[in-house]
Amino acid sequence: MAAEQNLAAWDLGPTVRASSYFRDWAAQHHPAFLVDGRARPEPIEKWASGPRDRHPWVEIEWREPHDLARVVLTHAGRFEPAAYTVRRYGVTCLRPGGGPSIAVRDNVQPVATHELDCPGARGVRLDFQPNDERDVVRLYEIEAWGR
Amino acid sequence: MSRRGVRAAFAAIVVAAALARAAALAWAPPHHPDQFFQYLEPAWGRLTGAGVETWEWIAGVRSWVLPGYHGAWMALLRRLGFAGPTIGFLMQAHWAALSLFLVGAGWRGGSLIARRSLARPFGAAAGPRTMRSPGDAATFPPSVATAPAAAPAGWQGGLLGALLCALFPWLVLFSIQTLSELASSLCFVWGLVLVGEVVEGTPVPVAAARRAPCWDGTAGRAAWAGFWLSLATCLRIQHGPLVLVAVGWLLWSGRRDAFRPLLAGALVPVAIFGVVDRLTWGRFFASFVEYIDFNFIKQGASHFGTSSAAFYWQGFQHRLPVALPILALTALVGARAAWPFTGAALLLVGLLGTQAHKEERFVVLFWPLLLISAAGVAGGWLARRTAGADDATAAVAASAAAEGAPTTGRSASAPGRRQRVAARAAVALAVVVILADGARHAGGTEFDLSLGRFRGQAWVGRQADATGLLYDEPLYTGGYLWLGRTIPQVQFSVPLLENPLFTHVLVPVGSEAARQAMAAGFAPVHEEDGFLILARRR
């Protein structure tokens, strides 16, 4: 049996898509930072959604089908104020014919682990609801562990 | 000069203008970061999903009309397979091409002012005064063949105006900048010229009249004048007050019949900009309201720096230390004829001088207005000096012939010829001084927009293995348009060298950042005009 690995790691060549990102000329919070695997990132090395995006989402697709086991999110509250941790979001396994999903309502964990058993997964999608209608979503890392 | 000669001279001026702009495209650096981040990058970001988004585009202070126009071109060029940097270059080339219309405005405006300074009724050819040619408009191509083919009245001012607008160095360098100041200036100058032709009652060329026999020349011209003046204002609100000069000109000359078509033409751009704001920002004219609020009520632009009241005049003297008095004096001497153009130029500087935040690009419209004024006045003077000599020569010859005395062509025409030569030499010398002085002082801007950094960005974008770029100055780049990829690009810092996403670094040769990158495992792979590109060693 293949060893468990982070299927979203940048060196495995995933495709990252986002509905938007915060792209001021001095602060580009690019979605690629979600998969860079940085254990102690600088404040710039996070994804942040665009200021007018009221329904931000991110998708990570890997090159071949894998058996997904769990998704780990490193929220901004891990390194910045706790209020930046997103409270409400959904995690969906991307699989032909549809995959399981989880709805998170009251997250306060800066590093949140979500068990998501999904054989033959092609990727994972996260749909966020900003904590405040004038705020953005901030996320440092997405890890998708599986075989 | 014959009509054919004038036409050939104008064509040569247009060719020279095109060549000058081609040279600017090849070698001139960009003028201001705004030309990318305000007018190109927003469109690129909408098309590709990756593009720098400045605060103005979040706060709703800008209209989407100009970026939308650029975006339409970008979409077409992308469909044709062009990459980002090439598209950026083509957008600059497109504005350089459009700026050639300023040469036409210089011709028409200079001719107009020359005729006004001569106080000669329109229709009189530049040859013997007995000749009148219906439809002998100072437009090209002249649509009515006269016999003999005499040059249109005011042609001297027209050619001078065209020449100065074509080759004035600062205007040539500015022609490749994708800024709203350029677009608005083109529109305003044309609008003012058309108003002047309405005032003068310049006939519509016969060919145009034949195409639309029911279309009154005055109404059509006034409508177009209103359209261009309105578009100029919609593109740059700061140019709006200058429209009062055009309106005042019509009032002063009693051309109230032109107001209705002028207003009709003016409503078209207003409607377009209003609807675009409604569709993009949710309210009609939302960006105009926000812009006025930020810039004029809150004086928010002063956060970006303030300058003294003399800033603009110092800038003009810096650009043209020797020749500025020549232009100013000429325009002043001919103020009676050129007052709408010089008045608009002075009003522009006077109004913008009251604003705390000043930038040289805000007053670029000053130059074509001043150049056309001076060209027209000089052209009128030249016409008087040469036509006066011709008349004197003809009078002397006629008198001698009436008395039965042999006429010696040489002795009768020599004074006239010397006068003509001297007048032409004086004007030619002035033109040379203006262009040379302008060329000597055309360079230098307040931003370090080095072409090497742009070329380096484009080079990295072409590397298939590039997944991220660190550069020294994000403000002085071409944004994601010039990278042509959606990979992350952020300002260099030593901790970011550890992030495996960043495979390339773009910094000045010999800089501390280059040394730090090499210490972190990056190796030089390419150099562009003083900038070094390093790649992560694998």
Side-chain angles (χ1 to χ4, degrees):
Chain A
M1 182 184 285
E4 191 176 70
Q5 60 179 337
N6 177 12
L7 304 169
W10 72 274
D11 51 354
L12 296 180
T15 298
V16 181
R17 294 191 198 87
S19 59
S20 67
Y21 73 100
F22 192 91
R23 42 198 177 97
D24 181 76
W25 68 266
Q28 294 273 307
H29 292 293
H30 199 280
F33 289 129
L34 290 168
V35 297
D36 60 6
R38 292 271 280 160
R40 286 208 290 268
E42 296 290 300
I44 188 70
E45 293 170 286
K46 63 174 176 282
W47 170 69
S49 59
R52 287 184 300 277
D53 187 359
R54 296 294 96 214
H55 304 283
W57 56 261
V58 172
E59 281 183 1
I60 299 175
E61 284 190 16
W62 33 86
R63 296 181 175 218
E64 298 145 348
H66 289 277
D67 296 336
L68 179 65
R70 65 183 182 283
V71 176
V72 181
L73 306 183
T74 305
H75 293 274
R78 169 76 172 85
F79 304 105
E80 297 180 55
Y84 289 167
T85 294
V86 185
R87 293 192 294 273
R88 287 178 292 278
Y89 53 91
V91 184
T92 303
C93 171
L94 298 176
R95 184 173 66 183
S101 64
I102 298 170
V104 181
R105 290 283 170 258
D106 298 302
N107 176 62
V108 295
Q109 299 297 322
V111 180
T113 300
H114 304 286
E115 301 295 326
L116 190 64
D117 183 34
C118 184
R122 294 307 306 263
V124 65
R125 174 183 170 111
L126 288 96
D127 291 274
F128 297 93
Q129 188 175 340
N131 292 344
D132 184 273
E133 65 177 17
R134 284 178 295 185
D135 201 1
V136 299
V137 169
R138 303 169 183 80
L139 196 65
Y140 273 90
E141 201 76 13
I142 296 176
E143 297 167 45
W145 291 89
R147 298 179 194 281
Chain B
M1 191 182 283
S2 67
R3 182 187 296 268
R4 180 178 291 182
V6 170
R7 193 186 303 205
F10 182 81
I13 290 171
V14 172
V15 170
L19 290 174
R21 281 148 180 80
L25 267 174
W27 292 302
H31 176 72
H32 196 286
D34 271 5
Q35 68 191 80
F36 305 104
F37 299 121
Q38 300 297 334
Y39 303 111
L40 294 178
E41 192 78 343
W44 187 254
R46 284 292 174 120
L47 285 173
T48 64
V52 173
E53 187 174 53
T54 60
W55 69 268
E56 290 94 337
W57 294 99
I58 299 172
V61 181
R62 297 264 185 242
S63 167
W64 274 99
V65 170
L66 192 54
Y69 169 76
H70 289 146
W73 281 110
M74 289 177 182
L76 173 65
L77 292 169
R78 282 185 82 209
R79 184 63 69 94
L80 294 174
F82 290 102
T86 305
I87 292 175
F89 174 81
L90 289 173
M91 295 313 304
Q92 290 182 305
H94 138 275
W95 279 108
L98 287 180
S99 78
L100 291 175
F101 282 103
L102 194 61
V103 181
W107 158 259
R108 303 251 301 242
S111 301
L112 174 75
I113 294 174
R115 290 193 300 271
R116 284 169 55 86
S117 70
L118 288 169
R120 179 172 292 178
F122 189 79
R129 288 183 183 171
T130 53
M131 189 173 226
R132 289 182 66 87
S133 307
D136 186 16
T139 55
F140 268 106
S143 53
V144 176
T146 57
W155 65 269
Q156 297 93 337
L159 286 183
L160 284 173
L163 182 65
L164 289 177
C165 287
L167 297 180
F168 188 67
W170 180 234
L171 289 181
V172 171
L173 291 178
F174 209 84
S175 70
I176 67 169
Q177 318 301 341
T178 54
L179 289 165
S180 62
E181 287 87 347
L182 174 64
S184 178
S185 296
L186 290 174
C187 294
F188 183 83
V189 173
W190 265 107
L192 193 61
V193 167
L194 289 172
V195 165
E197 292 180 350
V198 168
V199 167
E200 184 185 47
T202 311
V204 175
V206 170
R210 284 185 186 136
R211 282 196 299 271
C214 299
W215 185 247
D216 175 72
T218 295
R221 197 163 270 161
W224 276 114
F227 177 86
W228 293 120
L229 291 172
S230 175
L231 184 58
T233 303
C234 290
L235 287 167
R236 294 289 299 177
I237 296 174
Q238 293 89 333
H239 292 168
L242 275 59
V243 174
L244 296 175
V245 175
V247 172
W249 196 1
L250 286 172
L251 279 173
W252 182 264
S253 61
R255 293 308 305 264
R256 286 175 176 76
D257 58 313
F259 275 108
R260 192 177 296 180
L262 186 86
L263 185 63
L267 287 176
V268 175
V270 170
I272 291 171
F273 275 72
V275 168
V276 169
D277 266 1
R278 175 68 177 89
L279 294 173
T280 54
W281 296 116
R283 288 181 295 129
F284 290 103
F285 306 109
S287 69
F288 287 93
V289 172
E290 294 298 326
Y291 186 89
I292 290 172
D293 181 53
F294 177 80
N295 283 289
F296 300 108
I297 297 175
K298 293 176 181 167
Q299 291 286 313
S302 59
H303 292 307
F304 303 106
T306 59
S307 304
S308 69
F311 174 83
Y312 289 127
W313 295 110
Q314 290 168 345
F316 296 149
Q317 286 174 326
H318 167 71
R319 289 293 175 199
L320 215 59
V322 173
L324 184 63
I326 297 174
L327 288 172
L329 192 62
T330 306
L332 184 66
V333 164
R336 215 156 58 96
W339 70 264
F341 290 79
T342 47
L346 293 174
L347 182 62
L348 172 73
V349 180
L351 285 175
L352 293 185
T354 63
Q355 298 301 301
H357 181 62
K358 300 179 178 66
E359 294 185 31
E360 185 177 19
R361 62 189 170 113
F362 294 165
V363 292
V364 68
L365 176 57
F366 174 84
W367 289 112
L369 292 173
L370 177 65
L371 292 169
I372 291 172
S373 297
V377 172
W381 177 81
L382 194 60
R384 269 195 300 277
R385 298 296 285 183
T386 53
D390 288 338
D391 286 348
T393 302
V396 167
S399 172
E403 293 173 8
T407 56
T408 56
R410 184 179 295 179
S411 62
S413 63
R417 190 187 306 129
R418 274 204 296 272
Q419 203 171 21
R420 288 197 302 275
V421 169
R424 287 171 184 151
V427 171
L429 180 63
V431 169
V432 169
V433 169
I434 290 167
L435 296 181
D437 195 27
R440 279 200 66 206
H441 303 94
T445 67
E446 56 189 309
F447 296 100
D448 178 24
L449 290 162
S450 305
L451 281 177
R453 192 184 282 110
F454 285 79
R455 290 179 181 141
Q457 224 188 342
W459 188 89
V460 171
R462 291 194 295 270
Q463 306 314 302
D465 61 345
T467 59
L469 171 65
L470 297 173
Y471 46 28
D472 63 325
E473 290 288 354
L475 186 61
Y476 300 157
T477 69
Y480 276 84
L481 170 64
W482 235 263
L483 184 66
R485 300 270 296 275
T486 58
I487 60 176
Q489 52 176 352
V490 300
Q491 186 165 17
F492 177 94
S493 70
V494 172
L496 291 180
L497 290 169
E498 298 171 17
N499 190 318
L501 281 179
F502 295 109
T503 53
H504 289 77
V505 171
L506 170 62
V507 289
V509 171
S511 63
E512 176 65 12
R515 190 197 64 75
Q516 290 166 333
M518 283 188 271
F522 286 75
V525 291
H526 190 72
E527 199 171 312
E528 283 281 359
D529 226 351
F531 283 83
L532 187 64
I533 298 161
L534 306 101
R536 186 184 295 276
R537 275 193 289 259
R538 300 194 187 273

